[in-house]
Amino acid sequence: MELNIMTQTLRHLFVLLTALISSSVSNPLADNFLQCLSQDPNVTTTNFVFTQNDSEYSFILESTIANLKYSTPTTPKPLAVITPLTYSHVQSTILCSKHLKFQIRIRSGGHDSEGLSYTSSYQSPFVVLDLRELRSVIIESGQNTAWVETGATLGELYYWVSQESPNLGFAAGTCPTVGAGGHISGGGFGNMMRKYGLAADNVIDARIVDANGKILDRKSMGEDLFWAIRGGGGGSFGVVVAWKVNLVYVPDKVTVFSLTKTIEEGGSSLFNKWQYVSHNVSRDLFIRVEIQPALNESGNKTIQVMFSSMFLGNVDQLMETITDGFPELGLQEKDCSEMSWIETVLYFDDYTVGRSVDVLKERNTVDKSYGINKSDYVKEPIPEEKLEEIWKWCLEGDWPVLVMEPQGGKMHEIDDTIIAYPYRKGYLYNVQYREKWEDDSFESSEKRISWMRKMYENMAPYVAKNPRAAYVNFRDLDLGENDVDNTSYLNALKWGSKYFGDNFRRLAMVKGVYFGDNFRRLAMVKGVVDPDNFFFYEQSIPPLIMSEE
Ligand SMILES: Cc1cc2nc3c(=O)[nH]c(=O)nc-3n(C[C@H](O)[C@H](O)[C@H](O)COP(=O)(O)OP(=O)(O)OC[C@H]3O[C@@H](n4cnc5c(N)ncnc54)[C@H](O)[C@@H]3O)c2cc1C
Ligand SMILES: *[C@@H]1O[C@H](CO)[C@@H](O)[C@H](O)[C@H]1NC(C)=O
Ligand SMILES: *[C@@H]1O[C@H](CO)[C@@H](O)[C@H](O)[C@H]1NC(C)=O
Ligand SMILES: *[C@@H]1O[C@H](CO)[C@@H](O)[C@H](O)[C@H]1NC(C)=O
Ligand SMILES: *[C@@H]1O[C@H](CO)[C@@H](O)[C@H](O)[C@H]1NC(C)=O
Ligand SMILES: *[C@@H]1O[C@H](CO)[C@@H](O)[C@H](O)[C@H]1NC(C)=O
Ligand SMILES: *[C@@H]1O[C@H](CO)[C@@H](O)[C@H](O)[C@H]1NC(C)=O
Ligand SMILES: *[C@@H]1O[C@H](CO)[C@@H](O)[C@H](O)[C@H]1NC(C)=O
């Protein structure tokens, strides 16, 4: 009892102290923002706005930050975190930010690798519009479609889809805590892309709040903007509040396996074989490769190659498909597990089985660490005799992971201008370079970052070039940044052509610079829908106003 009173008193003291500390950092700009919002007749309360005065501010800001590199005491912080409860809250946040000349950062799942959804490297004041409260998933029974609000995580979307029917799924990424907002905006690939394409390929309608605070759907936004928001990367055109997506058929039972071979066990030549077959086997079969240093039985650091796979069928059908297409793998029935599609979501999260799928709807906490990621695409298999050198570079890193995912199938059938994601026919597989670490010492991060940059440089001869291709959902500011003093299209080509260019069949040339159609079209759409560049950030699409040429 006494202890209880004691704790209560302590708690009161704590609240008082927090209030005192917070008020000392109060910011008149945040007051202006609140005042502006409260003048909007549609906003009856501002309880969805958290300024530095509010004790919840830090918790809400930090809760979905996946990369701790952008969550340090010196990381620039927003004036306010706004968690809209209705679309009109989104509208008034845009209008007030515009009126007060604040920048806006849009956040759904917070998994951006460069922290672009919650911090800013510019001097101007900014607010974070966090969509976490807008996360309904409404399945349209019988039509195999769903409206998903962008604050939903992929895990929530998968869960509610599987509740509707065990034969329905959605084709998107493997990490359940990633947000539907950013992920689908950038394309979104995963285990079913060879059969059904990207998440963005399966979007059939959307609701977006534009720079004028207007809510638009596919019909009222028009096909150009609807094209741009599918694969053009999040945050350049407006706030997408909901997607309408096509759900896809999945069988009652699917089969997974993960098979590991060290270099000494022949991992290298298996990887080589994988380069030739993985994009060209049955589209029901998806075999990802994860390459990383590991300790072998004698305790020496070696390279291990993991083949991690999902097959849309039962184990007998899988064995047949492997025997036809990749017998060298030596897969045996005992390496495989059959399960429902929704169970595979948890399997690929951490390669364990047995957890209840209910955790998917609990928005389980985000894995946090310091990290840096880069990406590439491969058009010609890397010569087998070069692999040893690549493994050597991997061993020079601390504990890096190289992930490679085959395209082919549906990915090769969809034309490279249908949506903004350009890497289709001719691109065999993607490469994701990952390095993460737990301690925040300067040396530790410098070491990792310089390893990553060196690795990326070393790999140049073996990956797509002119321009070198990169995946926009693996944001990488090393590729270049918008110049805040000159937001011209030409200045952005350096990185823009890497994410959206290399449209090799339609190379065009302007002022001596090569670029592909998709980046140019994105910039033209931006020039129409947001000519004043309200939605501006380090790698936002620059407005291309036609007179500029
Ligand atoms: C653990 C992990 C696993 C991953 N696995 C995969 C994978 O399997 N496949 C894959 O393709 N990618 C994968 N990714 C990359 C992931 O798809 C991108 O980081 C994606 O952009 C994250 O979306 P988000 O909503 O969580 O991120 P956020 O950080 O919230 O947003 C990312 C970007 O989109 C903008 N944005 C966010 N919401 C909206 C919105 N509603 N309207 C407009 N713009 C918006 C943000 O401003 C920011 O620029 C993974 C990333 C991580 C960290
Ligand atoms: C923050 O607190 C200070 C001191 O109590 C107050 O003057 C200010 O208006 C508050 N600002 C906001 C944005 O709530
Ligand atoms: C209030 O909301 C309605 C419905 O969304 C909208 O039509 C109207 O423009 C909004 N008013 C303001 C001032 O934002
Ligand atoms: C890099 O990507 C992997 C998987 O896609 C993810 O687990 C990790 O958190 C990412 N790191 C960063 C810094 O985004
Ligand atoms: C895929 O395999 C078929 C035959 O099985 C072959 O003709 C074709 O060239 C292969 N395609 C690629 C891209 O390797
Ligand atoms: C372990 O790795 C070392 C160094 O790569 C190698 O020489 C040795 O043969 C490996 N041992 C086993 C048992 O694989
Ligand atoms: C492997 O490890 C042992 C002891 O752990 C060591 O003596 C040996 O030199 C190592 N071999 C290689 C090839 O690194
Ligand atoms: C902006 O940069 C482009 C390309 O580098 C250049 O041509 C243009 O003159 C610059 N504009 C201004 C206003 O500096």
Side-chain angles (χ1 to χ4, degrees):
M1 194 60 190
E2 259 171 61
L3 207 76
N4 236 334
I5 292 168
M6 197 55 177
T7 358
Q8 265 186 23
T9 319
L10 274 176
R11 197 172 297 142
H12 284 142
L13 217 98
F14 179 74
V15 170
L16 200 77
L17 271 174
T18 330
L20 276 172
I21 294 166
S22 309
S23 64
S24 65
V25 295
S26 99
N27 190 322
L29 292 175
D31 291 339
N32 295 347
F33 188 74
L34 281 173
Q35 220 160 49
C36 175
L37 282 182
S38 54
Q39 276 159 18
D40 184 333
N42 280 352
V43 175
T44 51
T45 152
T46 53
N47 64 0
F48 62 95
V49 181
F50 300 90
T51 71
Q52 298 186 5
N53 269 8
D54 295 302
S55 53
E56 299 99 322
Y57 171 90
S58 297
F59 174 75
I60 292 178
L61 177 64
E62 285 159 21
S63 59
T64 60
I65 292 181
N67 193 352
L68 293 175
K69 208 161 145 251
Y70 299 105
S71 186
T72 71
T74 55
T75 307
K77 302 285 192 292
L79 286 174
V81 183
I82 297 117
T83 60
L85 308 171
T86 65
Y87 297 169
S88 73
H89 291 166
V90 177
Q91 295 174 287
S92 41
T93 299
I94 290 175
L95 293 175
C96 284
S97 303
K98 209 169 156 181
H99 173 66
L100 294 165
K101 299 200 162 43
F102 294 167
Q103 295 208 325
I104 195 168
R105 296 289 159 136
I106 311 162
R107 181 163 78 175
S108 291
H111 282 49
D112 192 282
S113 52
E114 296 282 19
L116 300 180
S117 56
Y118 49 85
T119 184
S120 160
S121 60
Y122 303 120
Q123 296 299 318
S124 7
F126 69 101
V127 298
V128 168
L129 180 67
D130 185 314
L131 294 158
R132 71 180 62 209
E133 302 294 343
L134 297 174
R135 59 167 188 274
S136 71
V137 176
I138 296 166
I139 316 274
E140 298 177 314
S141 294
Q143 293 177 48
N144 297 344
T145 58
W147 271 104
V148 51
E149 286 185 320
T150 46
T153 60
L154 294 183
E156 288 174 302
L157 173 56
Y158 295 154
Y159 176 84
W160 293 115
V161 167
S162 74
Q163 289 291 297
E164 175 70 18
S165 159
N167 295 122
L168 282 180
F170 181 63
T174 45
C175 172
T177 55
V178 162
H183 183 72
I184 300 179
S185 295
F189 50 57
N191 293 335
M192 296 199 287
M193 73 167 142
R194 303 191 61 250
K195 180 139 184 173
Y196 297 118
L198 304 170
D201 291 326
N202 289 286
V203 169
I204 51 177
D205 201 342
R207 294 214 173 93
I208 183 169
V209 186
D210 73 5
N212 298 317
K214 292 237 151 53
I215 301 183
L216 307 172
D217 64 4
R218 178 173 186 170
K219 196 147 173 256
S220 52
M221 80 177 83
E223 287 302 301
D224 276 338
L225 179 53
F226 185 61
W227 175 86
I229 59 174
R230 289 172 297 156
S236 292
F237 302 98
V239 179
V240 179
V241 288
W243 305 105
K244 185 179 184 179
V245 297
N246 267 329
L247 305 177
V248 302
Y249 170 80
V250 293
D252 290 330
K253 286 279 172 237
V254 304
T255 309
V256 299
F257 68 83
S258 51
L259 202 67
T260 300
K261 299 276 182 195
T262 63
I263 297 312
E264 291 77 27
E265 292 164 342
S268 234
S269 65
L270 276 182
F271 170 76
N272 187 52
K273 183 72 189 174
W274 172 92
Q275 294 192 96
Y276 290 85
V277 299
S278 61
H279 54 89
N280 202 14
V281 288
S282 156
R283 56 188 68 189
D284 288 327
L285 178 59
F286 183 79
I287 308 178
R288 166 193 302 104
V289 165
E290 294 191 15
I291 294 165
Q292 56 192 312
L295 297 178
N296 70 11
E297 280 158 23
S298 39
N300 303 71
K301 206 171 177 185
T302 181
I303 289 289
Q304 76 169 35
V305 182
M306 175 163 93
F307 298 88
S308 127
S309 175
M310 184 170 93
F311 177 72
L312 291 165
N314 64 26
V315 69
D316 295 337
Q317 293 162 318
L318 169 62
M319 292 311 293
E320 231 170 81
T321 309
I322 290 277
T323 306
D324 281 354
F326 196 6
E328 300 81 356
L329 191 57
L331 185 72
Q332 295 177 25
E333 263 190 62
K334 68 171 173 53
D335 303 319
C336 306
S337 314
E338 284 180 352
M339 57 182 75
S340 65
W341 170 76
I342 191 66
E343 287 169 326
T344 69
V345 175
L346 289 175
Y347 175 78
F348 288 105
D349 190 37
D350 65 357
Y351 296 106
T352 63
V353 287
R355 271 193 292 162
S356 157
V357 297
D358 287 348
V359 302
L360 293 172
K361 68 169 193 282
E362 284 158 18
R363 294 168 79 81
N364 46 346
T365 43
V366 173
D367 269 341
K368 292 164 178 284
S369 59
Y370 301 83
I372 179 168
N373 282 352
K374 290 184 183 292
S375 62
D376 264 318
Y377 287 82
V378 169
K379 293 168 83 170
E380 303 275 350
I382 301 171
E384 188 170 8
E385 67 274 15
K386 302 289 181 192
L387 295 177
E388 206 172 316
E389 192 178 29
I390 296 176
W391 310 152
K392 209 185 84 214
W393 298 330
C394 286
L395 286 169
E396 287 165 9
D398 262 315
W399 294 101
V401 189
L402 264 57
V403 179
M404 302 176 193
E405 299 187 325
Q407 298 210 139
K410 186 85 175 173
M411 291 296 286
H412 282 180
E413 282 170 10
I414 297 175
D415 190 85
D416 47 10
T417 57
I418 293 287
I419 67 167
Y421 178 94
Y423 299 117
R424 305 288 189 169
K425 200 170 167 58
Y427 291 86
L428 305 181
Y429 59 89
N430 65 54
V431 184
Q432 304 157 35
Y433 310 87
R434 308 173 186 170
E435 175 82 282
K436 64 177 185 180
W437 58 98
E438 309 292 335
D439 71 302
D440 66 343
S441 73
F442 179 75
E443 296 73 30
S444 161
S445 43
E446 283 305 293
K447 208 168 91 201
R448 262 83 167 200
I449 293 167
S450 61
W451 174 83
M452 180 63 89
R453 289 181 178 149
K454 189 82 205 315
M455 182 76 198
Y456 187 71
E457 202 182 300
N458 289 342
M459 287 296 286
Y462 309 121
V463 296
K465 18 183 150 355
N466 301 319
R468 194 167 178 176
Y471 178 39
V472 69
N473 263 344
F474 271 53
R475 281 278 176 201
D476 178 3
L477 292 182
D478 284 347
L479 300 179
E481 283 185 40
N482 281 323
D483 177 350
V484 70
D485 298 317
N486 181 348
T487 59
S488 86
Y489 168 72
L490 287 175
N491 275 346
L493 266 179
K494 188 165 163 261
W495 54 266
S497 60
K498 294 191 172 91
Y499 290 142
F500 308 110
D502 201 3
N503 206 326
F504 53 92
R505 286 182 287 117
R506 281 177 295 271
L507 272 184
M509 207 170 107
V510 164
K511 296 182 182 169
V513 189
Y514 281 97
F515 62 92
D517 275 351
N518 286 2
F519 185 54
R520 179 186 167 79
R521 184 170 173 197
L522 284 168
M524 286 169 63
V525 174
K526 173 78 173 181
V528 173
V529 303
D530 186 19
D532 300 330
N533 215 357
F534 171 67
F535 293 106
F536 174 75
Y537 62 89
E538 290 78 353
Q539 282 184 344
S540 56
I541 304 290
L544 176 60
I545 316 283
M546 286 319 288
S547 62
E548 212 179 297
E549 277 183 59

